[in-house]
Amino acid sequence: MPLPPAPTKRAALLSPDAHDAPARSLHGKSGRRSSDRRAEETRSSGPQPLELFDRHAAEGGAVIETPPLPRLKAPSPPAQGGEESRPATAAKAATGPVKAKRSNTNGAAKLFVLDTNVLLHDPMCLFRFEEHDIFLPMIVLEELDGHKKGTTEVARNGRQTSRTLDALAAAQGADIGKGLKLDTTGHREAGGKLFFQTDPLDYALPTSLPQGKADNQILGVVHALRDLYAKDSPGRARQEVVLVSKDINMRVKARALGLAADDYQNDKTLEDGDLLYSGALALPADFWTRQSKPLESWQSGSSTFYRVSGPLVPNLYINQFVYFEAPGEPSMYARVTEIRDKTAVLKTLKDYGSIKNAVWGVNTRNREQNFAMNLLMDPEVDFVTLTGTAGTGKTLMALASGLTQVLDDRRYTEIIMTRATVSVGEDIGFLPGTEEEKMGPWMGALDDNLEFLAKGDGGGAGEWGRAATNELIRSRIKIKSMNFMRGRTFLNKYVIIDEAQNLTPKQMKTLVTRAGPGTKIICMGNLAQIDTPYLTEGSSGLTFAVDKFKGWPHSGHITLARGERSRLADFASDVL
């Protein structure tokens, strides 16, 4: 069969009928005969033009009418408001939403001008802007070059950004003058282009702004680009120019000059810290009466299992804790162990608040602490995250469960403890001694909790017995610095990461990926006490880990709500 003539209009596509025609001819004998008849007519009268339609018309929402006979159809212009938009909306509602690559309705995508601190903060930020374009001023490349030396996290990010830019510029068919396609290196989610400042731009800033400062030069570039892209011109569509910077003062100055500015939002796991997964869920008062099917329950060891159904199941996660508390009815505390189709299996918990279930002499004092201790003592849970205010017992419970499983159960060989060395105030300078001695001043919380745990049973062992116990405990606890963690592998270790709220997502990934077979990692922190600059509750590595690990069968999280340190500490946490 002769091929149809080539389309006469740019971006014209074959209609769905034309694509499906060969497939329809295979169904039944009548379809085969009609196909043969059409083939004979084609041979006798020559090739017939197939129906075409314009892709841009479909993306614009215009109604495309299908004529009864195959013919060449001229492309129709996209609908633009007024009377044309009403039938377009009706067609879209009838056939489903039209998936357009460019989401901006008033022309091309936005043009984001990146500040240097964004590239140094996230080297992969070039691929986080979806279909929008990116512009890098020349002064940004100069600053990037000045930060590439050293072994710090900022220097590593600067070198990685430089390698990414080099890969984009060296891609086949790359043209810096026309913009580098961001999807050429395999990042298909980036649909825009990367532009460099290859020509000088004319701009005039207020005389109160020093002209030689790098920030003000970037503001001048944004000002010039806004005027340049404010209107359509041949070969270039109108675009909104937005400055993206992690520097608050930079954004304030930009808005004072009438320029659009925004923070880099892609590093934030959550917009609001209150939306963070808490790990526990209260069952409604009518939970048991609303079960549509007969409740299935069974006993296994000391635990009772319940198979429940209903509208609550889709909102549950594996290893999430649920509790039922109602006046005049028995309370129930359980953990989700299985979710299948529309049912979930709940397993009752071990009560670590009882004296007979004490862990290294420690009993839990509230509901959330009991949830946390069930996670810490479960050998099937490899990763535990604990959040909560000061005095909620995070470090004490982690150490008590670690000592029990290392010294009594012999489940792990030793405890490794580390933390982010971020000062609250001024740094005291270099610290003498070995790695463990340098980490000593940062491990005051460890010493305080070990002093409490090593008291023994009322001092019956005597002074020599307590000294021997302390020596044994110290021999099984290793204090390590995070600076030397890269490349290590921990085998059968119980790893405690304290003050994890001061870690970036990249640092958190570096630490968690050190785990080898048989290793358990516990991350603890208070998201209200972040001391790392440029880190917030939404962008903290602890928030990142909690959000990414929720629902994994071998991880668990709990937010400790009530402080148990002292009435003074509890009151101070609320009012200060």
Side-chain angles (χ1 to χ4, degrees), residues 178-467:
K178 297 180 180 179
L180 305 177
K181 292 184 178 180
L182 292 170
D183 59 356
T184 54
T185 56
H187 298 84
R188 299 301 179 187
E189 69 277 8
K193 291 184 177 182
L194 172 64
F195 296 92
F196 293 96
Q197 182 185 353
T198 55
D199 298 321
L201 298 172
D202 295 330
Y203 57 86
L205 292 178
T207 56
S208 58
L209 294 177
Q211 301 300 315
K213 192 174 180 181
D215 286 358
N216 298 332
Q217 294 185 41
I218 296 175
L219 290 175
V221 171
V222 177
H223 191 281
L225 290 175
R226 186 197 63 175
D227 296 339
L228 187 64
Y229 285 84
K231 55 185 178 180
D232 292 325
S233 63
R236 186 184 65 246
R238 178 169 48 188
Q239 284 183 293
E240 180 184 358
V241 180
V242 181
L243 170 67
V244 180
S245 176
K246 298 291 294 181
D247 189 350
I248 298 177
N249 292 331
M250 180 80 159
R251 299 198 300 267
V252 171
K253 287 195 294 184
R255 295 187 181 108
L257 295 173
L259 304 174
D262 199 0
D263 188 11
Y264 179 63
Q265 303 286 348
N266 199 271
D267 62 331
K268 296 181 180 179
T269 306
L270 297 174
E271 291 294 333
D272 189 357
D274 295 335
L275 301 176
L276 184 65
Y277 171 64
S278 65
L281 178 66
L283 297 176
D286 59 345
F287 173 74
W288 298 113
T289 59
R290 291 177 59 184
Q291 291 297 313
S292 58
K293 298 180 180 179
L295 188 65
E296 181 184 355
S297 65
W298 64 94
Q299 193 85 12
S300 178
S302 60
S303 300
T304 304
F305 292 82
Y306 299 93
R307 189 180 301 277
V308 299
S309 60
L312 187 69
V313 173
N315 299 324
L316 297 178
Y317 294 96
I318 297 292
N319 285 337
Q320 184 178 15
F321 293 93
V322 295
Y323 58 93
F324 178 81
E325 295 177 341
E329 296 188 28
S331 300
M332 193 269 291
Y333 305 96
R335 184 172 65 174
V336 181
T337 58
E338 179 185 324
I339 298 176
R340 183 176 298 176
D341 296 331
K342 297 181 180 180
T343 63
V345 176
L346 308 181
K347 177 185 178 182
T348 57
L349 304 179
K350 187 175 182 180
D351 183 17
Y352 287 99
S354 175
I355 296 295
K356 64 178 182 180
N357 294 329
V359 178
W360 203 262
V362 174
N363 293 107
T364 58
R365 296 186 178 182
N366 56 53
R367 180 181 60 220
E368 285 76 18
Q369 284 189 351
N370 191 46
F371 293 164
M373 193 63 81
N374 274 272
L375 289 175
L376 293 170
M377 295 298 294
D378 189 350
E380 293 299 320
V381 177
D382 301 331
F383 184 72
V384 180
T385 50
L386 303 176
T387 60
T389 59
T392 50
K394 302 183 294 294
T395 308
L396 181 64
M397 289 191 298
L399 272 177
S401 63
L403 290 173
T404 298
Q405 296 176 86
V406 169
L407 296 175
D408 294 345
D409 302 339
R410 305 295 177 92
R411 188 174 296 156
Y412 308 102
T413 57
E414 64 181 3
I415 298 175
I416 295 179
M417 193 164 185
T418 185
R419 59 163 286 175
T421 54
V422 181
S423 303
V424 177
E426 292 291 332
D427 201 347
I428 62 175
F430 290 101
L431 298 172
T434 62
E435 177 189 357
E436 191 157 339
E437 291 173 344
K438 289 177 184 294
M439 291 294 295
W442 300 101
M443 289 300 171
L446 172 64
D447 297 332
D448 297 340
N449 288 280
L450 284 181
E451 182 182 353
F452 175 83
L453 293 173
K455 285 182 179 178
D457 52 353
E463 194 69 28
W464 288 99
R466 285 196 296 272

Side-chain angles (χ1 to χ4, degrees), residues 7-14 52-59 75:
T8 58
K9 296 292 185 180
R10 186 179 179 182
L13 302 176
L14 290 175
L52 304 172
F53 72 94
D54 187 27
R55 179 178 62 187
H56 295 293
E59 290 184 355

Side-chain angles (χ1 to χ4, degrees), residues 22-41:
R24 289 188 185 124
S25 63
L26 298 177
H27 297 287
K29 297 181 179 180
S30 61
R32 188 185 303 271
R33 286 195 297 267
S34 61
S35 176
D36 295 339
R37 190 184 308 114
R38 284 196 298 269
E40 290 296 334
E41 293 173 358

